[in-house]
Amino acid sequence: MDSHIYPPPSAMSTQAAIASMADYDALCAEAHTDYEGFWARLARENLDWHTPFTEVLDESNPPFYRWFADGTLNASYNCLDRHVNNGRGDRVAIRFESDSGEVTLVTYAELLAQVCRMANALQSCGIVKGDRVMIYMPMSVEGIVAMQACARIGAIHSVVFGGFSAKSLYDRIIDVGAAMIITADEQRRGGKNLPLKATVDEALTLGDTSSVHTVLVHQRTHGAITSNDRDVLLEPLLDIQSNSCEPVWVDAEHPLFILYTSGSTGAPKGIVHSTGGYMLWATQTMKWSFDIKDSDIFWCTADIGWITGHTYVCYGPLSAGATQIVFEGIPTYPDAARFWQMIERHRCTIFYTAPTAIRALIKAAEMDEKVHPSRYDLSSLRLLGSVGEPINPEAWLWYHKHIGGERCPIADTFWQTETGGHVISPMPGATPLVPGSCTLPLPGIQAVIVDEHGAEIEHGQGGLLVIKRPWPSMLRTIWGNPERYQTSYFPAELGGTLYLAGDGAMRNANTCYFQITGRIDDVLNVSGHRMGTAEIESAFVAHPLVAEAAIVGAPDEVTGEAIVAFVVLKRTLPEGDEARAIANELREWVRKEIGPIAKPREIRFGDNLPKTRSGKIMRRLLRVLARGEEITQDISTLENPAILEQLKRHL
């Protein structure tokens, strides 16, 4: 980690909501002295409540914590109505840029009308409070409208990223018990039309999907689609709806959404977030981590299919009353200067993206001067952000120099699907920055590092990252599986009340800053997205040729971590062209089973896998092989040491 410290620019500090470390310390002291009072104050300042809460935190049934439980509110009302009611209806909410470059401006009043029409459309199809609605949509205004419309009527949305396969979609439909799917004919990405409706059709044939009574189809491209009994075209249905829809007031603990994330076992986990606590933190972190101002043009590049697109596209910016850019396409189309062109065109002031994107754009800029950011006017930027994985110091320094012009702080944010919003992040007007470090916990977040018994360890030593006290935006449970919620996140061996983030970390002995060192379980971070090794292994083993598979991660200069598959076939070991053909067939199979993000970079065939005599796969050994390093560890317990040479060859 780079040890050079970058203080906040004085121009930032003089205008920031949190202007100094003394301000930060005062907030932390307030939270320490009166924990419930601190969160109650923030909840009242950030949200409009229909019924004010009187109870702040209920810890009577740990780890099933409840926040503001007797208060009622509505997420969509807080994102839209309150701004319109306060005379800000003409303010631009979304600057949407399509894949092909058309720009559409949507005001808060227009967005409210669209959401009301969609909410009325859902109700006309029989959707009521508590129903689960699956959203499989392009990155679009319509996708955001669908999410907000669900929230408006108390339906629980579950968004699935448009790159996931029919099988992944099916698994989530079944687990969540979806009553409706909202999709589109196709999505446009990188100049191509990619099917969505066809994938939904396939998913609905894979088993009993009788819970789904309606498939609403948005005509994004007017591409050809097959019609089924459950299908309803969205646009004609919207045309006959009213522009007003009373919000359904829900209690603060009512689930707002369920979002699936990969775990260390095969089955994806449906992470449940409540309405009140989640909305509080989505709004507050906009103010603290991004220091949002009325004059800002905010751009988070994440897709709505991920938690970042939920918190920092759909809910946080709108609740904060901000103007944001929403982009349909990819950073490399029509060329790798697309992001820089858009920052220049929209006069973007806050830019929030993933290290994977930054590293890919560094590579592109080094290979082609025409797409180098120096050729574009990026002077509107005042703040940069990083999300999804730790940003390596080299990428941080390039980002700071070439995008931020050495004047923009970088909010290196650590958080997870499970935390709902940032938990460790600099405050741009206050926190001195160190490349490669997410710095300090936000006020109210009691993050510490402990050993395997739950005891805090001294600074400078690596251990497990945990959060000691419940906080409002934390996940409430795993949908349909409270036991898994308990064992995954509040393990008994750590005392049953510490939230286990699943990441290793250490704190610098001098600065006390946090540095995330990587996952402690079998979960890979590929391009900022978590992929459970067990889920990918299950996909491999489902192929008729595969007897056994083990998945590990290896460093990758662009994606951060790449997937390496060690595979045992139900036949003799293939060689040459045949081996390459089988490897390609398996890559395509995994793409179809899970999605393109799960395709392995390398496949290595062996007669068997390295196992101990008790039959346990030595994954640590596989990780050494995947990295191309020399084996130095003791292999005397290996049942079959000769296999190691075989597994060094990759395709």
Side-chain angles (χ1 to χ4, degrees):
M1 192 164 72
D2 188 307
S3 57
H4 187 74
I5 293 177
Y6 295 77
S10 55
M12 177 74 77
S13 297
T14 53
Q15 299 175 38
I18 309 297
S20 65
M21 288 306 289
D23 288 354
Y24 167 80
D25 291 338
L27 285 163
C28 292
E30 180 192 352
H32 181 75
T33 307
D34 179 9
Y35 195 68
E36 288 193 21
F38 169 81
W39 287 112
R41 174 178 73 78
L42 295 185
R44 291 185 185 109
E45 286 177 3
N46 282 286
L47 298 176
D48 282 14
W49 293 84
H50 184 67
T51 310
F53 58 87
T54 61
E55 181 186 311
V56 181
L57 171 60
D58 177 357
E59 295 181 268
S60 61
N61 183 26
F64 299 94
Y65 304 108
R66 294 166 59 80
W67 285 90
F68 322 116
D70 62 346
T72 65
L73 74 168
N74 182 278
S76 173
Y77 180 92
N78 274 279
C79 289
L80 302 170
D81 304 62
R82 63 168 171 170
H83 305 309
V84 174
N85 296 346
N86 290 336
R88 293 164 63 86
D90 291 339
R91 178 175 173 81
V92 173
I94 293 173
R95 301 176 65 92
F96 175 70
E97 181 163 323
S98 72
D99 185 66
S100 53
E102 295 94 355
V103 175
T104 308
L105 305 185
V106 186
T107 67
Y108 274 89
E110 289 165 342
L111 191 58
L112 174 59
Q114 287 187 39
V115 168
C116 286
R117 283 199 300 276
M118 176 69 92
N120 289 328
L122 298 186
Q123 288 180 321
S124 76
C125 295
I127 297 296
V128 297
K129 176 184 170 185
D131 281 348
R132 278 80 64 205
V133 174
M134 186 151 278
I135 297 172
Y136 188 64
M137 291 278 277
M139 183 61 190
S140 59
V141 175
E142 289 79 10
I144 296 167
V145 166
M147 294 165 77
Q148 288 278 344
C150 289
R152 194 163 193 85
I153 60 173
I156 305 165
H157 62 68
S158 185
V159 184
V160 177
F161 173 59
F164 275 127
S165 69
K167 175 69 166 57
S168 292
L169 190 59
Y170 167 77
D171 290 342
R172 288 155 176 74
I173 293 167
I174 297 301
D175 192 75
V176 86
M180 172 186 274
I181 302 172
I182 307 174
T183 189
D185 45 14
E186 297 173 317
Q187 58 182 338
R188 282 197 61 79
R189 286 174 64 85
K192 297 176 185 161
N193 292 0
L194 304 169
L196 290 174
K197 171 64 165 54
T199 306
V200 171
D201 290 345
E202 185 185 344
L204 293 174
T205 66
L206 296 176
D208 180 7
T209 54
S210 54
S211 67
V212 179
H213 57 71
T214 309
V215 177
L216 275 186
V217 186
H218 159 54
Q219 292 169 288
R220 165 67 187 91
T221 64
H222 294 273
I225 55 172
T226 303
S227 254
N228 298 294
D229 293 345
R230 295 184 262 202
D231 296 350
V232 177
L233 289 179
L234 179 60
E235 279 70 21
L237 185 61
L238 291 176
D239 288 343
I240 58 174
Q241 305 302 325
S242 161
N243 282 345
S244 61
C245 174
E246 275 300 299
V248 172
W249 305 107
V250 299
D251 67 71
E253 281 297 316
H254 180 75
L256 178 60
F257 63 85
I258 300 162
L259 183 59
Y260 285 83
T261 183
S262 282
S264 54
T265 62
K269 297 179 289 193
I271 304 299
V272 179
H273 276 291
S274 72
T275 302
Y278 171 83
M279 286 300 299
L280 154 62
W281 204 227
T283 316
Q284 185 63 69
T285 49
M286 287 296 299
K287 298 175 182 179
W288 280 351
S289 305
F290 297 125
D291 191 46
I292 198 75
K293 307 275 190 243
D294 269 356
S295 55
D296 279 318
I297 307 290
F298 176 82
W299 184 16
C300 167
T301 65
D303 190 281
I304 54 171
W306 309 109
I307 187 65
T308 307
H310 281 54
T311 309
Y312 300 110
V313 177
C314 184
Y315 290 111
L318 295 175
S319 181
T323 296
Q324 65 171 320
I325 299 164
V326 173
F327 175 44
E328 181 179 35
I330 58 173
T332 51
Y333 177 80
D335 59 38
R338 184 66 180 269
F339 276 3
W340 324 136
Q341 290 161 357
M342 286 182 61
I343 291 168
E344 180 179 275
R345 183 181 309 127
H346 296 280
R347 306 304 294 157
C348 173
T349 61
I350 303 172
F351 179 63
Y352 189 39
T353 197
T356 295
I358 296 163
R359 288 191 294 266
L361 295 168
I362 292 173
K363 197 170 176 181
E366 286 174 351
M367 290 171 66
D368 182 0
E369 183 59 33
K370 293 197 292 297
V371 300
H372 197 282
S374 60
R375 296 176 70 96
Y376 298 88
D377 178 7
L378 308 182
S379 60
S380 59
L381 289 169
R382 69 180 194 92
L383 176 62
L384 303 174
S386 171
V387 61
E389 58 189 300
I391 183 168
N392 52 304
E394 299 76 21
W396 192 103
L397 290 164
W398 187 91
Y399 197 29
H400 183 255
K401 180 180 178 180
H402 294 286
I403 310 307
E406 300 186 328
R407 70 182 183 282
C408 299
I410 298 175
D412 178 1
T413 61
F414 171 79
W415 61 298
Q416 304 167 308
T417 302
E418 294 88 344
T419 68
H422 306 151
V423 287
I424 306 176
S425 169
M427 293 185 168
T431 316
L433 303 177
V434 174
S437 170
C438 47
T439 70
L440 294 166
L442 290 174
I445 304 293
Q446 296 188 11
V448 293
I449 295 171
V450 299
D451 62 20
E452 61 271 23
H453 306 295
E456 284 188 49
I457 60 177
E458 59 188 56
H459 294 355
Q461 291 188 11
L464 308 175
L465 177 63
V466 301
I467 300 176
K468 288 175 31 178
R469 291 290 309 273
W471 70 103
S473 71
M474 66 188 289
L475 76 165
R476 294 302 191 262
T477 187
I478 292 172
W479 182 259
N481 200 338
E483 298 81 13
R484 191 178 180 194
Y485 163 72
Q486 218 160 343
T487 55
S488 298
Y489 298 109
F490 296 91
E493 55 268 31
L494 297 182
T497 60
L498 294 178
Y499 168 80
L500 178 66
D503 284 281
M506 60 187 297
R507 296 189 77 167
N508 185 280
N510 299 318
T511 61
C512 303
Y513 283 4
F514 283 75
Q515 183 185 4
I516 309 300
T517 53
R519 297 292 301 174
I520 58 171
D521 55 15
D522 289 322
V523 176
L524 311 179
N525 194 322
V526 181
S527 298
H529 304 304
R530 284 167 56 177
M531 293 297 309
T533 57
E535 188 179 2
I536 306 170
E537 287 168 5
S538 300
F540 265 99
V541 173
H543 190 283
L545 276 178
V546 176
E548 197 172 18
I551 303 297
V552 299
D556 186 277
E557 62 175 25
V558 175
T559 61
E561 204 165 16
I563 296 167
V564 178
F566 294 88
V567 177
V568 178
L569 298 174
K570 295 174 181 173
R571 49 151 287 170
T572 54
L573 204 65
E575 299 286 343
D577 288 347
E578 187 185 24
R580 280 186 284 278
I582 293 172
N584 288 334
E585 182 184 332
L586 293 176
R587 283 193 180 92
E588 187 56 25
W589 173 269
V590 171
R591 185 197 67 76
K592 200 163 168 44
E593 286 285 295
I594 301 174
I597 198 166
K599 280 173 69 173
R601 183 184 71 185
E602 291 175 21
I603 293 180
R604 306 188 183 194
F605 294 119
D607 288 320
N608 44 51
L609 295 175
K611 294 178 180 177
T612 63
R613 290 185 178 88
S614 61
K616 189 178 177 187
I617 297 171
M618 293 187 70
R619 291 175 187 275
R620 191 175 295 134
L621 205 54
L622 292 177
R623 282 191 275 270
V624 170
L625 288 171
R627 291 196 295 266
E629 297 169 354
E630 283 303 307
I631 296 166
T632 55
Q633 68 196 84
D634 179 23
I635 57 171
S636 59
T637 58
L638 261 187
E639 185 185 25
N640 48 353
I643 196 67
L644 299 177
E645 279 307 311
Q646 236 179 40
L647 294 173
K648 286 179 182 176
R649 302 197 299 267
H650 57 83
L651 296 160

